[in-house]
Amino acid sequence: MTKTPVAGFGCLCACGTSAETCFEGALTGRARFDLPNGRVNSAYATSYPVFLAADEIAKACPAGESLSLHYFLTAADEAFFHAGVFPAELAAKKRVGVIVGTSVDASFHCFDLYKNNRAGTPRPGDPQELAHYFASSTAQAASRHYGFKGPFQTVVTACASGTDAVGLARSWILSGLCDAVLCGGTDEINLIPYDGFTRLLIATKDRCRPFDKNRNGINIGEGAGALLLMNEETAREFSVRPKGYVLGYGNACDAYHPTAPDPEAKGLKKAISFALKDAGLAAQDLAFVNAHGTASQANDAAEAAAFNSLLKNVPVWGSKGVTGHTLGAAGAVEAVLTLTALNNKIIPPTFGFQEADENIGFAPVQIKTPLTKRAALSDSLAFGGCNAALVLGAEDYDG
């Protein structure tokens, strides 16, 4: 097992504007939970109004930035701050890569452009619409923003994107391709996925209830998580005290169905097994698992099948009770929350959960729970049968 140092991390979502305040929100249940005007289902939002039009985004963000990119750069700035490293100094001395997972920022943020063209009123001369369209390579835009010269990759594996981005960043470090990698995930609330989940009949106006007997759907969320990974040599050269470690990563696509998870969780079981093997750990070494836990009937049942098979008796935390489902950002936001929980030696409650489901086979953590073990697992499921898992270690992990 090779530990990959996390030099710093940052986060923003509905329950906070930094990694610290997000964890406070996770402990208390504080989150911005709204029913957007004229809409049937609720959402977890940041401080921005939801469904911003292109001209409104232009007012909120620097020129050429989508809202999703703005979220990621905000989280990345926090990661650099806590690492105590200036991006320009890192860029001047090291090979720095960027990997960002997203769903919305891959294309959906161009909704106004598509709508105008479909209505027969294209505005090809509008530079703002085109600027947002060409900003759809989130990783490239972030790399240019910081002046990095290393490789960049935007990962679009639906709701597993953020987890895959962190896992791939680890592989870039271990292979020697990069000395440091800025990675994570980001997504804004957007009409296309919002309406899509509504039409699939898996969204709800109520606050989501991960693993609850009466769960009735997901709430779309938004935000970003960013992690700065380094190799050991770079961490020593920049006098970085790691804030945690990426210990293992696993990925498996079972291609079961375009939108439904495999009820037997074959792909997820493989992803979790691969991640544990990569980390050189067993289930009993884990303090908890930060579950995907969307609160849809099918997702939670499939995930439970994997946990009952591979992670029996490992405490389960459903963090989407305070973040909502942040889509391509979910895995990265949850990686940051997992690291903060490990470093604070406490598992937050699963907000929204009320009644155990006998078909699930376990109840998630319902109260603040102290922990002593120093590693945890975070997993993601996605459309198309994509599954991914990370094993993360606390800042004092010495395994």
Side-chain angles (χ1 to χ4, degrees):
M1 184 267 292
T2 302
K3 299 189 299 183
T4 304
V6 179
F9 50 73
C11 185
L12 74 154
C13 59
C15 63
T17 56
S18 66
E20 181 180 2
T21 58
C22 284
F23 188 65
E24 290 172 358
L27 288 171
T28 62
R30 178 200 64 217
R32 184 184 171 207
F33 182 71
D34 290 324
L35 179 65
N37 290 336
R39 298 289 161 181
V40 297
N41 291 317
S42 300
Y44 285 81
T46 67
S47 57
Y48 287 96
V50 298
F51 305 130
L52 287 178
D55 58 342
E56 296 172 311
I57 293 174
K59 295 175 184 177
C61 305
E65 285 187 13
S66 66
L67 193 57
S68 297
L69 175 59
H70 180 63
Y71 288 159
F72 181 73
L73 295 178
T74 301
D77 284 345
E78 183 189 1
F80 285 114
F81 175 78
H82 288 298
V85 175
F86 291 106
E89 185 179 2
L90 191 64
K93 295 181 178 181
K94 297 294 179 178
R95 299 164 297 167
V96 186
V98 179
I99 307 181
V100 185
T102 185
S103 289
V104 171
D105 211 38
S107 60
F108 293 164
H109 72 277
C110 308
F111 187 74
D112 287 355
L113 181 62
Y114 304 150
K115 183 173 63 175
N116 290 336
N117 276 272
R118 187 170 184 176
T121 57
R123 296 187 291 172
D126 187 332
Q128 191 58 56
E129 285 194 359
L130 291 176
H132 285 295
Y133 185 85
F134 289 119
S136 61
S137 178
T138 320
Q140 181 183 37
S143 182
R144 287 177 174 173
H145 176 84
Y146 291 114
F148 297 146
K149 305 300 182 184
F152 51 82
Q153 181 175 348
T154 298
V155 177
V156 187
T157 49
C159 305
S161 300
T163 299
D164 282 328
V166 178
L168 289 171
R170 168 177 161 82
S171 71
W172 283 11
I173 296 288
L174 296 181
S175 69
L177 182 63
C178 297
D179 302 304
V181 182
L182 174 65
C183 61
T186 184
D187 263 332
E188 68 203 67
I189 293 177
N190 178 277
L191 274 170
I192 296 175
Y194 177 93
D195 286 346
F197 281 108
T198 297
R199 292 177 183 180
L200 285 170
L201 304 179
I202 55 174
T204 179
K205 66 178 180 179
D206 303 317
R207 191 162 178 168
C208 72
R209 302 176 179 181
F211 302 104
D212 189 87
K213 180 177 182 178
N214 299 306
R215 64 191 185 278
N216 63 347
I218 74 168
N219 305 119
I220 290 289
E222 64 178 350
L227 299 88
L228 178 62
L229 309 189
M230 291 181 173
N231 59 27
E232 296 279 2
E233 179 183 347
T234 300
R236 287 193 298 270
E237 182 176 339
F238 284 83
S239 300
V240 168
R241 180 177 179 269
K243 307 304 182 295
Y245 299 90
V246 181
L247 305 177
Y249 165 62
N251 171 287
C253 183
D254 53 51
Y256 175 78
H257 186 272
T259 60
D262 176 5
E264 296 181 17
K266 296 185 186 73
L268 181 59
K269 290 175 184 176
K270 288 183 178 180
I272 292 172
S273 296
F274 293 157
L276 288 171
K277 183 177 181 181
D278 187 26
L281 298 178
Q284 60 265 29
D285 299 315
L286 300 175
F288 65 95
V289 53
N290 190 348
H292 193 61
T294 63
S296 74
Q297 285 288 333
N299 176 93
D300 288 12
E303 204 170 4
F307 295 167
N308 289 330
S309 173
L310 300 178
L311 304 176
K312 198 73 173 177
N313 299 321
V314 177
V316 175
W317 173 33
S319 58
K320 285 185 175 65
V322 290
T323 67
H325 191 354
T326 57
L327 305 180
V333 168
E334 288 155 18
V336 172
L337 288 173
T338 299
L339 286 168
T340 52
L342 285 168
N343 289 342
N344 283 278
K345 300 182 178 181
I346 190 168
I347 312 171
T350 300
F351 286 95
F353 177 86
Q354 296 177 339
E355 184 177 355
D357 181 351
E358 59 274 13
N359 296 316
I360 290 292
F362 63 82
V365 174
Q366 300 164 63
I367 60 174
K368 298 176 185 177
T369 305
L371 59 87
T372 55
K373 297 176 182 178
R374 311 308 293 132
L377 185 140
S378 179
D379 72 298
S380 297
L381 293 78
F383 284 177
C386 296
N387 303 274
L390 293 169
V391 179
L392 301 161
E395 58 189 352
D396 60 352
Y397 184 84
D398 60 1

